[in-house]
Amino acid sequence: MGVIVVGSVALDSVKTPFGEVTDALGGSATFFSVAASYFTDVAIVAVVGDDFPGEHVEFMRARGIDTSGLYTEAGRTFRWAGAYGYDLNDRDTIETRLNVFEKFRPRIPENLARVEYVFLANIDPELQLLVLDQVEGPELVACDTMNFWIERKRKELLDTISKVDVMIMNDAECRELAGEPNLIRASRKVLQMGPDTVIVKKGEHGALMLQGDSFFSAPAFPCESVYDPTGAGDAFAGGLMGHLAKTGDTSDANIRRAVIYGTVMASFCVEQFSVKGMASLSPGDIENRFRQLAELSHFET
Amino acid sequence: MGVIVVGSVALDSVKTPFGEVTDALGGSATFFSVAASYFTDVAIVAVVGDDFPGEHVEFMRARGIDTSGLYTEAGRTFRWAGAYGYDLNDRDTIETRLNVFEKFRPRIPENLARVEYVFLANIDPELQLLVLDQVEGPELVACDTMNFWIERKRKELLDTISKVDVMIMNDAECRELAGEPNLIRASRKVLQMGPDTVIVKKGEHGALMLQGDSFFSAPAFPCESVYDPTGAGDAFAGGLMGHLAKTGDTSDANIRRAVIYGTVMASFCVEQFSVKGMASLSPGDIENRFRQLAELSHFET
């Protein structure tokens, strides 16, 4: 068992009302892989520039992340700069410099082509399709996307969505992709685009999951100290896919539990800048929040 | 056992992308009492003008609602006109004509002064305090409010809040009252203002409840056909208070169930204009949605 993620590794400069960081370790594949590393073997496929600090690679390896698919190209690493106001739900992107990521063509190392769980993080859907061509009969493929691709590469995105098992997106993206303001109807429309499962991330409001006629509403963890929401969605996907890969069980009941593990990892992620909130957790830390989520959503019938 | 509500009875003109109604039965006390009538004895204290259609009073009585505190004054009934766009979360108030409601001074009929459950719907906090002076040792008092009073009568509102057991408000109001964007911290601040319980309504995202250190996250019912959200918050409060009054049990476990019954009644409310969605439900309709909410929020630990 194991999971592979294809996405970005970046250096993020983030400013929130609680502080700021410059060139901190970020990127969708980073947040995903760190979260997943608490559950299963995880391998990363991404590209960095020759300016990428070696300490970040060492940190990933120390977390057990397979970096054989982390390619270094001449040039600068992908950089993103963003700022959040007091309402941390609203993010302003200040700058996006793709740098070496602009020419990224994912190559799956041969020894990873048969990995059973695949996560296509938010990248160009043409690249997501390229990854699907290189993996051999995975057990489960999940995919994320964003408004940029919904608006500019809709055809390629729909092609990708029709080929994946689990579509993970946030609520605004789900409404935009479906062209439908009612989130339940929007999720149902995305389900009709091909995947077996649609998972909608709603930030502080938790997550929804639709599978055929089965509907699951997951609570958010009640975080009182949200320092930086960057990466929360990828940490969520990492916990979710990590749990699925660890257990090898894709039943409805187990995907529900996986959504809760995703929620737990996202909650640790937002409590500190970069990946610091997920850098050194114990199994007990994770199980404790899982149990709290069960308790806080329980009522007797 | 029984519940009394003090609030507005109005004639609403509402336009949504799905249709419109003119001078339809509305008002906070109306939505509350119709919802509560499925659970317990409910009495209404409000004022209407001499233009108020007798059929509406007959409808309330047919639902078992005690209208002995529904006073008729010379003049026109309170009228509200609003419109919703495709995103039904955003509402535009087109017109508010208080009419006879402008001089409303709530008088609790003598036979109702000892009622055990009291709901102070969204009215001037000075009037809410006037009601508290007239009721004799109620078991539980719950209260709603809105941004208008938070901004213009903060002192009186804080006085009211310090005297009630359960504060019910929506998420934007909770953040505004507490001056805190993080909803969990904001709820905790409202709890420190005096009530034992704070319940935050989040519309399509469900509800949160905080009691001491106990935290409950309730799912929303996944409504695919939302026609008119008007009154949903009062229907929620009606189901909640109705269940508490019916059972006479204010334990944490039972307030959780009450929040779910509130969610059920709100879900019926939004499916049609005015009170039509709650006009003729069977006990089975209500229990069925209660069970669905249990199922859709359940995961195995």
Side-chain angles (χ1 to χ4, degrees):
Chain A
M1 298 290 175
V3 59
I4 190 171
V5 53
V6 183
S8 62
V9 170
L11 295 173
D12 288 350
S13 295
V14 182
K15 196 170 179 176
T16 83
F18 313 108
E20 58 185 300
V21 289
T22 304
D23 283 350
L25 179 58
S28 56
T30 305
F31 286 104
F32 178 95
S33 61
V34 174
S37 70
Y38 287 94
F39 299 86
T40 190
D41 292 337
V42 53
I44 194 168
V45 175
V47 64
V48 291
D50 49 23
D51 62 346
F52 191 67
E55 60 180 303
H56 293 334
V57 181
E58 280 158 33
F59 165 73
M60 289 180 181
R61 289 189 184 144
R63 286 260 8 109
I65 297 166
D66 178 338
T67 58
S68 62
L70 180 64
Y71 303 101
T72 303
E73 303 284 350
R76 281 166 65 80
T77 300
F78 177 18
R79 274 171 175 75
W80 177 81
Y84 299 83
Y86 273 96
D87 180 350
L88 292 163
N89 296 312
D90 282 328
R91 172 163 79 185
D92 280 330
T93 288
I94 294 170
E95 193 169 45
T96 302
R97 291 194 182 272
L98 295 176
N99 297 329
V100 296
F101 193 66
E102 193 163 1
K103 301 222 186 287
F104 178 49
R105 303 283 292 174
R107 281 169 290 140
I108 310 297
E110 209 165 312
N111 63 313
L112 295 173
R114 289 173 183 275
V115 73
E116 289 185 298
Y117 292 80
V118 177
F119 183 63
L120 306 172
N122 166 33
I123 52 174
D124 186 333
E126 289 191 66
L127 301 188
Q128 293 177 323
L129 289 167
L130 213 62
V131 173
L132 292 181
D133 286 343
Q134 296 175 62
V135 291
E136 293 170 30
E139 175 70 20
L140 186 141
V141 179
C143 175
D144 191 4
T145 192
M146 71 183 293
N147 53 351
F148 187 86
W149 308 119
I150 294 171
E151 290 154 19
R152 310 212 189 174
K153 296 220 176 170
R154 186 175 176 87
K155 188 174 155 287
E156 295 81 355
L157 178 60
L158 290 178
D159 194 11
T160 303
I161 293 175
S162 74
K163 290 174 177 161
V164 304
D165 303 293
V166 180
M167 190 66 205
I168 303 176
M169 56 205 320
N170 75 31
D171 48 352
E173 290 155 2
C174 183
R175 291 184 224 262
E176 184 176 358
L177 176 63
E180 162 64 55
N182 179 295
L183 194 54
I184 313 303
R185 292 162 73 106
S187 315
R188 212 175 279 289
K189 278 194 176 182
V190 175
L191 201 62
Q192 285 161 358
M193 295 174 187
D196 293 327
T197 304
V198 172
I199 296 171
V200 182
K201 301 172 286 182
K202 304 194 297 174
E204 64 170 342
H205 300 302
L208 298 180
M209 179 173 75
L210 206 61
Q211 282 191 296
D213 285 329
S214 167
F215 186 88
F216 178 49
S217 172
F221 190 84
C223 289
E224 296 197 42
S225 300
V226 179
Y227 271 72
D228 175 11
T230 310
D234 296 301
F236 173 88
L240 187 151
M241 292 291 282
H243 175 73
L244 291 180
K246 174 187 180 181
T247 54
D249 171 1
T250 57
S251 65
D252 174 63
N254 199 48
I255 300 188
R256 289 182 176 218
R257 277 192 294 269
V259 167
I260 300 297
Y261 279 112
T263 301
V264 167
M265 297 313 295
S267 77
F268 285 117
C269 177
V270 301
E271 288 179 341
Q272 293 190 54
F273 282 102
S274 182
V275 294
K276 287 214 160 51
M278 299 189 291
S280 56
L281 299 170
S282 72
D285 295 332
I286 293 169
E287 288 309 313
N288 189 30
R289 289 207 172 175
F290 185 93
R291 279 193 303 271
Q292 283 181 67
L293 284 161
E295 201 284 319
L296 67 83
S297 60
H298 176 72
F299 59 94
E300 287 160 30
T301 52
Chain B
M1 298 290 175
V3 60
I4 191 172
V5 54
V6 183
S8 62
V9 171
L11 295 173
D12 288 349
S13 295
V14 182
K15 197 170 177 175
T16 82
F18 313 107
E20 58 185 301
V21 289
T22 304
D23 282 350
L25 180 58
S28 57
T30 305
F31 286 105
F32 178 94
S33 60
V34 173
S37 71
Y38 286 95
F39 298 86
T40 189
D41 292 337
V42 53
I44 194 168
V45 174
V47 64
V48 293
D50 49 22
D51 63 341
F52 191 67
E55 62 181 300
H56 293 334
V57 181
E58 281 159 32
F59 165 73
M60 288 180 181
R61 290 189 184 143
R63 284 260 10 107
I65 298 166
D66 178 339
T67 59
S68 62
L70 180 64
Y71 304 101
T72 303
E73 303 285 349
R76 281 165 65 79
T77 301
F78 178 17
R79 276 172 172 75
W80 178 79
Y84 298 83
Y86 272 96
D87 180 347
L88 292 163
N89 296 312
D90 282 329
R91 172 163 81 183
D92 281 330
T93 287
I94 293 169
E95 193 169 44
T96 303
R97 290 193 181 272
L98 295 176
N99 297 329
V100 297
F101 193 66
E102 193 163 2
K103 301 222 189 283
F104 177 50
R105 302 283 292 175
R107 280 170 289 142
I108 310 297
E110 211 166 309
N111 64 310
L112 296 174
R114 289 174 184 276
V115 74
E116 289 184 298
Y117 291 80
V118 177
F119 182 63
L120 306 172
N122 165 34
I123 53 174
D124 186 333
E126 289 192 64
L127 301 186
Q128 293 177 324
L129 289 167
L130 213 63
V131 173
L132 292 180
D133 286 343
Q134 298 174 61
V135 292
E136 294 170 28
E139 175 71 20
L140 186 142
V141 179
C143 176
D144 192 4
T145 194
M146 71 183 293
N147 54 350
F148 187 85
W149 309 120
I150 295 171
E151 291 155 19
R152 309 212 189 176
K153 296 220 177 171
R154 187 176 175 86
K155 188 174 154 288
E156 295 81 355
L157 178 60
L158 290 177
D159 195 10
T160 303
I161 294 175
S162 73
K163 292 174 176 161
V164 304
D165 304 292
V166 180
M167 190 65 205
I168 303 176
M169 54 206 319
N170 74 31
D171 48 352
E173 291 156 1
C174 182
R175 291 185 224 261
E176 184 175 358
L177 176 63
E180 163 63 56
N182 179 295
L183 195 54
I184 312 302
R185 291 161 75 105
S187 315
R188 211 175 279 289
K189 280 193 175 183
V190 176
L191 200 63
Q192 286 162 359
M193 295 173 188
D196 293 327
T197 305
V198 172
I199 296 171
V200 182
K201 300 172 287 184
K202 305 193 298 172
E204 65 170 341
H205 301 302
L208 298 180
M209 180 172 75
L210 205 62
Q211 284 191 297
D213 284 331
S214 167
F215 186 89
F216 177 50
S217 173
F221 190 83
C223 290
E224 295 197 43
S225 299
V226 179
Y227 271 73
D228 176 12
T230 309
D234 297 299
F236 173 87
L240 187 150
M241 292 290 282
H243 175 74
L244 291 180
K246 175 186 179 182
T247 54
D249 171 1
T250 57
S251 65
D252 174 64
N254 199 49
I255 301 189
R256 288 183 176 218
R257 278 191 294 268
V259 168
I260 301 298
Y261 279 111
T263 302
V264 167
M265 297 314 295
S267 77
F268 285 118
C269 178
V270 302
E271 287 180 340
Q272 293 191 53
F273 282 103
S274 182
V275 295
K276 286 215 161 52
M278 299 190 291
S280 56
L281 299 170
S282 70
D285 293 333
I286 294 169
E287 289 308 314
N288 190 30
R289 288 206 173 174
F290 185 93
R291 280 193 303 271
Q292 283 180 67
L293 283 161
E295 201 283 319
L296 68 82
S297 58
H298 175 74
F299 60 93
E300 288 160 31
T301 52

